[in-house]
Amino acid sequence: MYYTINETRDALKKGETSSVELVKNAVETFNKDKSAAIPLNAFIEMYDDAVAKAEAADKEISEAKAAGTLEALYEKKPLLGIPFANKDNISCKGTRLTCASKILEGYVAPYSATVINRLEAAGAIPLGRCNQDEFAMGSSTEYSCYGPTRNPINREYVSGGSSGGSAAAVSANQALFGLGTETGGSVRLPASYCGIYGLKPTYGVLSRWGVVAYGSSLDQVGILGHTPADIAEPLSVMSGVDMYDDTSADLPDSASLKNLKALSDDEFKTLKIAIPKQFMKTEGADPEVIRVFNETRAWFESKGAKITEVDLPILDASIAAYYVIALSEAASNLSRFDGIRYGRRVDNSKGYDELYVDTRSEGFGPEVKRRIIIGNYVLSEQFSGDTYKKGMTVRARIQREVAKLFEDYDLIISPTCPTTAFKLGQKVDDPLEMYLSDMYTVFVNLARIPSINVPAGKTSKDGMPVGIQFAGAMFSEAKILRVAQKWDEDHPKCGMPV
Ligand code: GLN
């Protein structure tokens, strides 16, 4: 497997590899991993039709070569023959989709998500579906009915979540890029734990059509890759208004993403960067994370960017607001899994109510049940006046104050997570500890802004990756990706596989 989309595309054009070879290698690695002593468990399943799709891509390439139209073909289909990892909550027509939940056992997607359709129209090949926390609820991929995905850097550690499967697949070089989803950090956190880049775009830039809903006002598809350029290109292909998703929006300078240029030295000198004091508190944060953050900060300063510490006390309320809103929306969204319409049905023939209760009792795992109960409790008549509205008020303030900050600054930088990847089992029985992993990521989802995880260093105690996030104003994807690309040029191969 090659490391970047560019390298792979060049090799495909020159005939040094074929799409079939790339797909078959990935399938072979998947099969080997299944019988490994400690499996990585990044992919749950490879799609049956991946090889056939790769064969069709190879045929197109060789026909265009013969006709002398290869460059024109790649203009039209820039990702032709490039395989990618999908997440188990994004529909790919005719293939199984379960959100890593027993309740969706046997469900086959009747249509493809818009993001998949657009990638396929650009020639990319969906390889298979990757593991995740059940219904994308979690930060470690331990809440999956398929067992955890482990961290490719050290298999004793978690991969992060909820898109841990896609992150581990990219980190272990089982796929060139991967799709994940974010409601509250689920792309950036596993990217941080696995040492790769991971982007959560502005809310609306990627259509949610065909993506299983968790918290609809927060949900957004994200992209994982070895370099910022490897994220920018799929983003340019997938972004933009979709008639099936009313919340979708065009990304203004998506054309500039095709050939991502690092920010120039002169542009760098004009950068104004904010660091929220609220994210600099040392309690709860690993000192090694703070050390790497300070090194990143020094890099910005050495390039002439102006850094200011800012005070945004409302950020201290982001975790509380996020969990109130996300769980309320989840309780409502997950009510559709009733044993009638989708997937699994437990039918003891006692009547509809029992069918509903039995299916949900057996189908959902404990963390999903906990969240449905909390969400319904928050929404119940006695509390909705208080808790839910308060959550919404806090969210509105976060949105307003963050937008205001971007009137004066280009970027907000902070660690992506307070700690690096932890050992399997360490937090699985302590939901509050698990929720606190999202301390720095969720304000981005609440504010609907874009943010990228950048692999910024490693801990000296156990060599696990540390991620730093660069967040920007709404629709500033090109800017944050160009800054990240500069980082990548100054730190070559920092997002490359282990
Ligand atoms: N840790 C967050 C949660 O459990 C992640 C959610 C997400 O982004 N899908 O809600």
Side-chain angles (χ1 to χ4, degrees):
M1 189 70 94
Y2 298 80
Y3 292 150
T4 66
I5 292 178
N6 256 335
E7 275 174 23
T8 314
R9 187 169 33 217
D10 281 350
L12 284 168
K13 283 183 186 169
K14 286 187 199 138
E16 288 167 5
T17 187
S18 66
S19 187
V20 168
E21 185 178 51
L22 297 172
V23 171
K24 284 194 171 161
N25 277 346
V27 173
E28 212 173 286
T29 311
F30 168 74
N31 287 331
K32 255 195 229 147
D33 184 66
K34 267 202 302 201
S35 50
I38 309 175
L40 192 61
N41 206 18
F43 278 97
I44 297 163
E45 171 179 58
M46 296 309 222
Y47 294 138
D48 291 338
D49 57 1
V51 174
K53 285 179 179 172
E55 277 168 357
D58 285 338
K59 187 160 169 273
E60 266 190 85
I61 294 171
S62 60
E63 281 172 3
K65 250 188 184 171
T69 54
L70 191 60
E71 287 310 316
L73 177 63
Y74 268 98
E75 270 300 304
K76 224 171 65 205
K77 294 187 167 184
L79 298 175
L80 187 59
I82 307 274
F84 69 93
N86 192 24
K87 182 173 173 177
D88 195 25
N89 60 354
I90 303 179
S91 307
C92 189
K93 188 176 174 173
T95 70
R96 278 177 283 271
L97 171 154
T98 71
C99 297
S101 179
K102 282 197 297 195
I103 208 160
L104 277 173
E105 204 174 77
Y107 175 75
V108 172
Y111 60 91
S112 281
T114 298
V115 287
I116 297 290
N117 280 332
R118 290 185 179 174
L119 283 175
E120 290 208 67
I125 316 283
L127 260 180
R129 57 186 174 111
C130 285
N131 203 7
Q132 59 168 85
D133 285 296
E134 186 176 0
F135 283 101
M137 296 173 181
S139 305
S140 67
T141 312
E142 291 172 290
Y143 302 138
S144 160
C145 73
Y146 302 104
T149 294
R150 291 165 185 265
N151 194 305
I153 291 133
N154 183 333
R155 295 192 181 198
E156 301 279 297
Y157 290 73
V158 300
S159 56
S162 66
S163 314
S166 309
V170 172
S171 169
N173 212 29
Q174 294 181 2
L176 281 159
F177 72 95
L179 294 187
T181 59
E182 275 230 11
T183 305
S186 275
V187 165
R188 286 164 291 149
L189 184 145
S192 161
Y193 285 7
C194 292
I196 55 172
Y197 291 90
L199 174 81
K200 183 273 197 222
T202 306
Y203 183 80
V205 157
L206 296 181
S207 164
R208 289 181 293 115
W209 172 255
V211 180
V212 180
Y214 164 7
S216 310
S217 77
L218 301 154
D219 294 344
Q220 187 61 194
V221 172
I223 309 162
L224 298 130
H226 294 135
T227 63
D230 277 7
I231 286 176
E233 198 164 357
L235 176 67
S236 77
V237 162
M238 290 187 285
S239 62
V241 168
D242 173 21
M243 65 179 281
Y244 296 117
D245 177 0
D246 278 346
T247 62
S248 62
D250 281 329
L251 184 57
D253 41 6
S254 89
S256 74
L257 296 173
K258 279 203 179 117
N259 248 317
L260 191 75
K261 299 264 175 306
L263 208 70
S264 71
D265 287 339
D266 283 346
E267 288 171 307
F268 227 94
K269 291 192 186 101
T270 67
L271 271 190
K272 291 198 283 286
I273 291 170
I275 299 180
K277 286 188 188 140
Q278 283 64 31
F279 292 166
M280 288 293 87
K281 292 177 200 152
T282 40
E283 89 245 23
D286 181 336
E288 293 228 60
V289 171
I290 303 292
R291 168 183 58 78
V292 172
F293 178 71
N294 286 331
E295 288 164 13
T296 313
R297 174 185 180 148
W299 174 79
F300 273 103
E301 278 164 339
S302 74
K303 309 209 88 61
K306 188 168 176 295
I307 296 197
T308 313
E309 289 195 11
V310 297
D311 201 16
L312 269 188
I314 192 69
L315 291 183
D316 282 335
S318 22
I319 278 270
Y322 167 77
Y323 275 95
V324 165
I325 295 167
L327 272 47
S328 303
E329 292 186 17
S332 156
N333 273 326
L334 268 57
S335 65
R336 77 192 64 181
F337 302 108
D338 54 5
I340 303 294
R341 287 173 288 184
Y342 308 95
R344 189 184 174 102
R345 176 178 304 169
V346 179
D347 186 0
N348 298 322
S349 296
K350 282 181 276 179
Y352 176 73
D353 284 349
E354 286 79 6
L355 185 151
Y356 183 82
V357 169
D358 291 349
T359 301
R360 288 168 68 87
S361 302
E362 281 191 28
F364 287 134
E367 179 60 22
V368 173
K369 283 182 189 156
R370 174 175 14 248
R371 292 181 183 219
I372 292 173
I373 291 168
I374 298 174
N376 279 320
Y377 181 75
V378 167
L379 289 175
S380 61
E381 217 178 326
Q382 302 92 302
F383 295 96
S384 59
D386 265 9
T387 320
Y388 184 71
K389 280 186 197 145
K390 199 157 184 186
M392 294 300 276
T393 311
V394 171
R395 179 186 192 164
R397 269 189 64 188
I398 290 177
Q399 234 171 312
R400 225 174 22 241
E401 293 186 21
V402 166
K404 179 114 190 52
L405 196 73
F406 283 122
E407 288 173 10
D408 299 318
Y409 295 93
D410 299 289
L411 296 182
I412 295 178
I413 63 168
S414 78
T416 304
C417 307
T419 69
T420 51
F422 41 90
K423 291 225 167 109
L424 261 89
Q426 198 178 314
K427 298 189 181 175
V428 78
D429 295 322
D430 189 345
L432 276 185
E433 264 299 302
M434 193 73 94
Y435 299 169
L436 286 175
S437 318
D438 307 333
M439 203 145 71
Y440 306 143
T441 41
V442 293
F443 86 97
V444 161
N445 306 76
L446 291 167
R448 303 180 179 223
I449 58 174
S451 174
I452 189 169
N453 174 71
V454 169
K458 292 207 158 113
T459 60
S460 41
K461 62 173 187 294
D462 53 13
M464 294 312 280
V466 178
I468 303 299
Q469 67 172 333
F470 304 170
M474 283 180 88
F475 302 108
S476 69
E477 276 79 353
K479 187 189 281 176
I480 62 175
L481 281 161
R482 291 186 63 214
V483 175
Q485 187 67 15
K486 185 73 183 166
W487 171 270
D488 200 69
E489 282 181 12
D490 281 9
H491 304 84
K493 298 204 181 287
C494 65
M496 291 297 163
V498 275

